[in-house]
Amino acid sequence: MQDGKIKTNPLDYKFYGICVNECPYASYVLCNADDPLVTDNMSQQQRLHCIDDPNDSTPQCESVRENCWYIPLNMSSIFWRCLPDYVVTKGEDVRCVFPSGVKDANDPACILRIDETNGTVTRPAQPNLLYDKINQARSLWGRWVGDVARSWWVVALCGVGLALFFGLVYLLLLRWCAGVMVFLTIVLVFVMLIAFTFFCYVKAGIFDPTFVQDALDQAGDSGGTVSQQLVPSSTNKTKFKYAAYLMTAITIVLLLIVFAIRQSIVNAVHIISQAAKALSKNF
């Protein structure tokens, strides 16, 4: 902090590092090598006393407060840097409130239960934007890795087993439906491009999405109102306008390219069909 305000500019941080063999633990007093009197002749208890008692004005304590730093939390090594581990604890109290004679919330006789949760976070008292962001990222990645570890068999089944199965089915279908699949893929790509382009025009306020609802009403479809996503943006109209123009140009260019190489696409369909037939004979 500076003048009571949290530093938000990374250039405002003064980085000073001390090389250690291992990351220090909580309540450790880490010193540099500038004063041998501190590093060689003072124990951890003496250094901690100097940090804890700012009124001790002995030369040793003055040197400790100048050349040493108190480590409030356990630290762990991340990319060869020691970072503090925030301690997060969560508590939960579950009880049955009805019927009054049932105390166990997991009892089949319990009708109404109350779940009370609370948590605490042990962290340095002074805010540190850099550490806070790093710990948030560590927690997020930790949850992701934990989710993958708990559901690895689902990931393996869907990412390997099902992908391999549908890949083989796709190759077999190419024997008879190569033309349909190729042209269907092209059509779907243009549908997505046109849909995203329309979305950008609507968010830019250039197109009015209410005509979609009018068309649905005329067709007798009463499925609901237009999605709230199809309303002009209140803050990014200019960005969406340029994105709409860019997507329009990309769509037109791709359409011209497909039209120009239409005969090559037809030839490619024949090649793919023959390749699929040759490949399927090996199964």
Side-chain angles (χ1 to χ4, degrees):
M1 298 185 66
Q2 184 176 10
D3 297 330
K5 297 181 180 180
I6 300 176
K7 296 180 179 179
T8 57
N9 187 350
L11 299 178
D12 292 337
Y13 285 86
K14 305 300 181 183
F15 293 97
Y16 178 83
I18 299 177
C19 295
V20 293
N21 294 326
E22 59 182 4
C23 291
Y25 51 83
S27 300
Y28 185 84
V29 180
L30 181 65
C31 301
N32 58 27
D34 290 350
D35 189 351
L37 178 65
V38 174
T39 56
D40 299 336
N41 300 327
M42 296 188 68
S43 64
Q44 277 294 313
Q45 289 76 9
Q46 292 173 323
R47 298 177 188 175
L48 186 61
H49 164 74
C50 292
I51 298 293
D52 186 52
D53 185 6
N55 296 321
D56 192 334
S57 58
T58 59
Q60 294 88 346
C61 283
E62 292 290 344
S63 181
V64 167
R65 286 190 285 270
E66 182 178 353
N67 300 295
C68 301
W69 292 265
Y70 176 74
I71 308 300
L73 297 170
N74 290 327
M75 308 190 82
S76 58
S77 178
I78 304 294
F79 295 115
W80 300 281
R81 297 292 186 272
C82 293
L83 300 177
D85 296 326
Y86 290 1
V87 181
V88 180
T89 58
K90 293 184 178 181
E92 184 176 8
D93 180 24
V94 181
R95 65 182 185 275
C96 182
V97 295
F98 187 84
S100 58
V102 179
K103 302 301 181 183
D104 187 1
N106 297 318
D107 192 320
C110 181
I111 299 176
L112 182 63
R113 59 182 280 173
I114 293 180
D115 297 346
E116 294 181 353
T117 59
N118 57 75
T120 60
V121 178
T122 304
R123 53 184 295 173
Q126 300 303 322
N128 188 309
L129 185 63
L130 182 63
Y131 282 165
D132 290 345
K133 293 298 183 182
I134 292 176
N135 274 283
Q136 289 176 8
R138 289 177 60 189
S139 300
L140 179 62
W141 281 96
R143 289 195 297 270
W144 287 352
V145 172
D147 292 340
V148 172
R150 287 190 294 269
S151 58
W152 66 267
W153 62 273
V154 178
V155 176
L157 177 63
C158 297
V160 179
L162 291 181
L164 181 61
F165 171 76
F166 286 113
L168 294 176
V169 172
Y170 181 79
L171 287 176
L172 292 175
L173 290 177
L174 280 177
R175 296 180 57 186
W176 305 283
C177 307
V180 174
M181 290 188 174
V182 170
F183 286 105
L184 180 62
T185 301
I186 295 175
V187 171
L188 291 178
V189 168
F190 278 105
V191 168
M192 288 188 294
L193 287 174
I194 294 172
F196 184 68
T197 304
F198 173 76
F199 175 79
C200 291
Y201 275 113
V202 171
K203 299 299 286 186
I206 300 175
F207 285 173
D208 184 3
T210 56
F211 77 88
V212 177
Q213 184 62 42
D214 295 338
L216 292 176
D217 294 338
Q218 293 177 3
D221 188 346
S222 57
T225 59
V226 176
S227 171
Q228 292 298 317
Q229 295 295 329
L230 293 178
V231 294
S233 174
S234 58
T235 57
N236 297 312
K237 282 188 176 182
T238 302
K239 295 180 180 179
F240 278 112
K241 181 177 68 174
Y242 290 133
Y245 294 157
L246 177 63
M247 291 302 303
T248 301
I250 292 175
T251 304
I252 293 175
V253 170
L254 288 180
L255 182 61
L256 294 176
I257 291 175
V258 170
F259 180 78
I261 63 172
R262 60 189 185 281
Q263 187 58 46
S264 299
I265 294 175
V266 174
N267 295 335
V269 169
H270 293 304
I271 295 174
I272 292 173
S273 179
Q274 295 300 321
K277 291 179 181 178
L279 186 60
S280 62
K281 290 181 180 180
N282 296 321
F283 294 101

